[in-house]
Amino acid sequence: MAVAVLALVLAAVLTLTVGVREGGFSLVWQALSAFDPNDPAHIAIQSVRMPRLIAGLIAGAALGMAGTIMQAITRNPLADPGILGINAGAAFAVVIGSLIAGRADNGLMAALAFPGAAAAAVAVFALGGGLKGDAGPVRLTLAGVALSAMLLSFVSAIILARNEALEVFRFWVTGSLAQAGMRPLGYMAIAAVFGACLAIAIAPRIEALSLGSALARGLGTKPGRIQLGALVAVTALTGAAVGVAGPVAFLGLLVPRLARRAGGHVLRRELIASAILGAAILLFADTIGRIVIPPTEIRVGTMTALIGAPMFIWMARRLRAGASA
């Protein structure tokens, strides 16, 4: 856990100091403590890098916790808001709302991520056999991949018909922290905190539910209510992440595996560790994407996919072989 905290601190420092305009820690401190509106470096730090840092903290922590909750409640090591289509549902709702309203970057549009994420979560759970009590890891994963492909096809069809929607499509399909200053960071932070508190509150009951529905009922746990609470928490966390950064894939897959080591297989500790690790990994990925081929920027969603896709293949092969993740 201490290593995770140090990694997050280092990632935050790099986010503020590394970029097209190089600036050391002293410059960052001056920009934050004695802001000079006539200094371009101070303006860049205050208006670009600081919102980027806040957005990375919100999205990374939210996606890390959402992935941990999803893997715990479904007992599926491949569960992830991106793989199971929840990110796609949130992004699809925002794209449709943006095109109807004619605006892409206000709080109302970002708020549409929440009903989109909830609808996608319910759809995947139903398609994966959850309503019949047969939601196995493979079925949930296939349902999520199919739903993501379908939603992406709908969005692509809209883009072909309306060229002005291309910029909206680029952000809400790939994911990026570049436009963080234009996002409703305060409201999304509140939603993420709500989802995090709910997840931590019901964590012991989720652990009981992982023992099996019959045993959980014997321990006084009501599976239906716990699953509903977990769905609300995942919706709030995923909606907040998509609202500030777009659909960032694979982060919710990578983080829970590391969090289990840091949290000692206690779900509450794992959730805290996943928030720290998720934010750190997302900020590192964003920094690398900004410096790897300057002055061009690789979007953070692309960077996490480059890391997460091989990890997903490796984990899927282990699951097929019957090994425990």
Side-chain angles (χ1 to χ4, degrees):
M1 192 73 78
V3 173
V5 172
L6 290 176
L8 178 58
V9 172
L10 177 59
V13 171
L14 291 176
T15 298
L16 292 176
T17 57
V18 175
V20 177
R21 289 179 176 270
E22 295 295 335
F25 185 78
S26 60
L27 178 61
V28 173
W29 178 254
Q30 291 176 5
L32 297 179
S33 61
F35 177 70
D36 182 359
N38 297 318
D39 190 332
H42 286 200
I43 296 175
I45 292 172
Q46 286 274 21
S47 62
V48 178
R49 295 187 188 178
M50 183 56 68
R52 196 167 194 145
L53 171 61
I54 296 173
L57 293 173
I58 296 171
L63 288 175
M65 296 186 77
T68 299
I69 283 291
M70 291 179 66
Q71 292 189 14
I73 199 72
T74 63
R75 288 172 284 177
N76 179 3
L78 301 180
D80 164 76
I83 295 173
L84 295 191
I86 299 178
N87 278 354
F92 176 76
V94 174
V95 169
I96 297 300
S98 300
L99 296 179
I100 293 175
R103 296 178 296 176
D105 297 318
N106 56 31
L108 177 61
M109 294 301 102
L112 292 174
F114 297 99
V122 172
V124 169
F125 187 71
L127 292 172
L131 298 179
K132 299 179 181 179
D134 188 27
V138 176
R139 293 188 63 179
L140 284 172
T141 302
L142 290 176
V145 172
L147 182 64
S148 294
M150 182 184 69
L151 293 177
L152 183 60
S153 297
F154 286 154
V155 174
S156 299
I158 294 172
I159 298 305
L160 292 175
R162 300 183 59 175
N163 292 331
E164 69 273 16
L166 179 59
E167 187 58 34
V168 178
F169 173 82
R170 289 177 59 190
F171 175 81
W172 291 110
V173 170
T174 309
S176 173
L177 299 180
Q179 301 175 0
M182 304 174 66
R183 308 297 163 192
L185 299 179
Y187 292 113
M188 297 300 104
I190 293 173
V193 169
F194 166 75
C197 291
L198 178 59
I200 291 173
I202 66 176
R205 293 177 174 83
I206 293 177
E207 289 179 310
L209 190 61
S210 67
L211 300 175
S213 298
L215 185 56
R217 290 190 182 94
L219 295 174
T221 298
K222 297 182 179 180
R225 292 186 179 181
I226 299 306
Q227 291 173 345
L228 177 61
L231 177 63
V232 172
V234 169
T235 298
L237 291 167
T238 305
V242 173
V244 299
V248 178
F250 292 107
L251 190 65
L253 174 72
L254 297 172
V255 171
R257 188 176 184 86
L258 299 174
R260 281 192 287 271
R261 296 177 179 270
H265 298 276
V266 177
L267 188 54
R268 277 183 173 171
R269 295 178 184 174
E270 290 177 16
L271 287 170
I272 296 172
S274 65
I276 299 171
L277 289 167
I281 292 174
L282 187 63
L283 291 176
F284 276 127
D286 181 58
T287 301
I288 294 172
R290 285 186 286 143
I291 65 176
V292 64
I293 50 174
T296 304
E297 175 179 324
I298 301 178
R299 292 173 178 255
V300 69
T302 303
M303 293 301 301
T304 57
L306 290 174
I307 300 171
M311 184 71 174
F312 174 76
I313 294 172
W314 176 72
M315 293 179 66
R317 287 178 61 87
R318 287 193 64 187
L319 182 65
R320 184 179 62 184
S324 174

